[in-house]
């Protein structure tokens, strides 16, 4: 038996693979997609532009943008999608459950083959096809009826959820959030997608596994819980936060596994929230200031700042997205990153297969 190598709990700091998709610098408080600061992309680019950057490898010019938009539109309007959406809408009112069911159903209807059996073009076609259906499935279940193909992702998604043509400021705000959330290193769901991809399984299996990881409250469930904290704290955040810390409970929306300084996504979305103004934003700003002050006293050896989930909740609420749709909306964004990582992992013939150190009862 080969020698076992002990690693930190949670694989913290362990390099499990190489990637050209992006990087997170927790000490400097920055992250990028293919060498371009992600926050700059979130401020300046469209959802589809950054989608193209992640899965194809470069930002599109006018010609490639038009071609990519056509591919996305065709994928979302594929005849099989109509049947799949109708099926899942009739059977569940939970968007994440629907999406977990929709991908395997769509794979079956399209006759999708394992990644192992596809060339690079076939894998890319699958990546685009399965990501393209996510906003349609999520919006259909939220509304209880299929809105059909909706054109550009962000405006179509907002219109489907709210029933009205989106305000340009809301469309830009949600675009910033979705781009900022597309990818963020080897988080739990992305790593799950890569593990499954390393087996040669199909795109739907990889995405379904990743979505299962994202559904956990310590991963994709935090935005809604951050908003609950604001509601419970009311006008007296200091008393509520002190009570939570005294009880040993985690303050949702604060702290991050990688960042030891301000989360750049939080700073981006805080600025977006401040552009809206209003009582909820003022409450969030006051809550953040109080929470960070008390957390510094409670854990002086570990910097804990507002993370992306805290202001993501505020921004999504301002855009008219209800709390139960926060995690599905996060999933919509992260699906793009997952597909990029699945494509990259599929090029590596080595299966991911770590070992475990047995600590149970000795054999008889």
């Amino acid at each position: 038996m080969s020698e076992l190598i002990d690693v930190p709990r949670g694989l913290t700091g362990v390099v499990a693979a190489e990637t050209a998709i992006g990087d997170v610098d927790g000490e400097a408080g920055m992250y990028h997609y293919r060498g371009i600061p992600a926050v700059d992309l979130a401020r300046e680019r469209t959802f589809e532009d950054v989608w193209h950057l992640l899965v194809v490898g470069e930002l599109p010019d006018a010609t490639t943008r038009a071609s990519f938009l056509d591919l996305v539109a065709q994928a979302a309007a594929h005849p099989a999608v109509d049947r799949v959406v109708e099926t899942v809408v009739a059977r569940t009112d939970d968007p994440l459950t629907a999406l977990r069911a929709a991908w395997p159903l769509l794979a079956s209807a399209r006759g999708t083959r394992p990644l192992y059996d596809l060339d690079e073009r076939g894998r890319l076609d699958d990546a685009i096809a399965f990501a393209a259906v996510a906003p349609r499935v999520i919006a259909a279940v939220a509304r209880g009826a299929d809105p059909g193909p909706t054109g550009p992702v962000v405006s179509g998604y907002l219109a489907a959820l709210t029933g009205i043509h989106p305000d340009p400021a809301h469309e830009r705000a949600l675009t910033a959030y979705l781009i900022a959330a597309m990818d963020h290193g080897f988080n739990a769901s992305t790593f799950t997608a890569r593990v499954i991809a390393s087996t040669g399984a199909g795109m739907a299996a990889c995405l379904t596994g990743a979505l299962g990881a994202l559904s956990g409250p310590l991963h994709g469930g935090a935005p809604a819980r951050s908003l609950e904290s604001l509601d419970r704290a009311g006008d007296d955040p200091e008393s509520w936060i002190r009570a939570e810390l005294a009880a040993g409970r985690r303050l949702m929306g604060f702290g991050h596994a990688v960042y030891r300084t301000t989360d750049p996504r939080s700073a981006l979305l805080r600025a977006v929230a401040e552009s809206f103004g209003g009582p909820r934003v003022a409450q969030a700003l006051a809550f953040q200031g109080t929470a960070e002050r008390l957390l510094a006293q409670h854990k002086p050896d570990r910097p804990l700042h507002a993370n992306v989930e805290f202001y993501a909740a505020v921004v999504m609420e301002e855009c008219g997205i209800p709390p139960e749709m926060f995690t599905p909306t996060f999933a919509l964004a992260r699906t793009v990153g997952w597909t990029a990582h699945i494509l990259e992992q599929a090029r590596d013939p080595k299966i991911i297969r770590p070992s475990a150190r047995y600590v149970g009862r000795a054999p008889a």
Side-chain angles (χ1 to χ4, degrees), residues 24-68:
V24 180
D25 187 336
E27 297 298 326
M30 69 86 65
Y31 72 118
H32 65 80
Y33 300 157
R34 300 196 184 276
I36 306 173
V39 169
D40 291 348
L41 292 167
R43 292 191 182 109
E44 300 164 5
R45 289 288 186 158
T46 67
F47 181 92
E48 288 82 1
D49 278 357
V50 184
W51 184 355
H52 188 279
L53 171 67
L54 289 180
V55 300
V56 178
E58 59 187 12
L59 286 169
D61 58 23
T63 301
T64 53
R65 179 184 296 111
S67 298
F68 187 71

Side-chain angles (χ1 to χ4, degrees), residues 53-222:
L53 171 67
L54 289 180
V55 300
V56 178
E58 59 187 12
L59 286 169
D61 58 23
T63 301
T64 53
R65 179 184 296 111
S67 298
F68 187 71
L69 291 174
D70 283 344
L71 284 174
V72 171
Q74 291 169 19
H78 191 285
V81 179
D82 294 338
R83 300 191 298 274
V84 168
V85 174
E86 181 180 0
T87 298
V88 297
V89 169
R91 286 164 172 75
T92 182
D93 59 0
D94 177 66
L96 291 186
T97 299
L99 195 55
R100 280 198 295 269
W103 279 326
L105 288 172
L106 185 61
S108 177
R110 289 173 58 95
T112 303
R113 293 186 293 158
L115 296 167
Y116 185 83
D117 297 327
L118 297 174
D119 60 16
E120 192 72 20
R121 181 70 236 184
R123 293 169 184 166
L124 179 60
D125 287 344
D126 278 358
I128 294 169
F130 284 94
V133 305
R136 184 173 171 187
V137 170
I138 293 169
V141 175
R143 290 186 58 175
D146 183 10
T150 56
V153 170
V154 179
S155 60
Y157 182 70
L158 264 180
L161 286 189
T162 64
I164 60 174
H165 185 74
D167 180 281
H170 290 164
E171 183 178 346
R172 186 63 247 172
L174 186 60
T175 297
Y177 167 61
L178 293 175
I179 291 174
M182 279 183 180
D183 185 55
H184 204 252
F186 274 29
N187 55 79
S189 56
T190 297
F191 189 58
T192 299
R194 292 190 71 124
V195 170
I196 299 172
S198 79
T199 73
M203 185 65 64
C206 300
L207 290 172
T208 302
L211 186 59
L214 187 79
S215 66
L218 297 184
H219 193 3

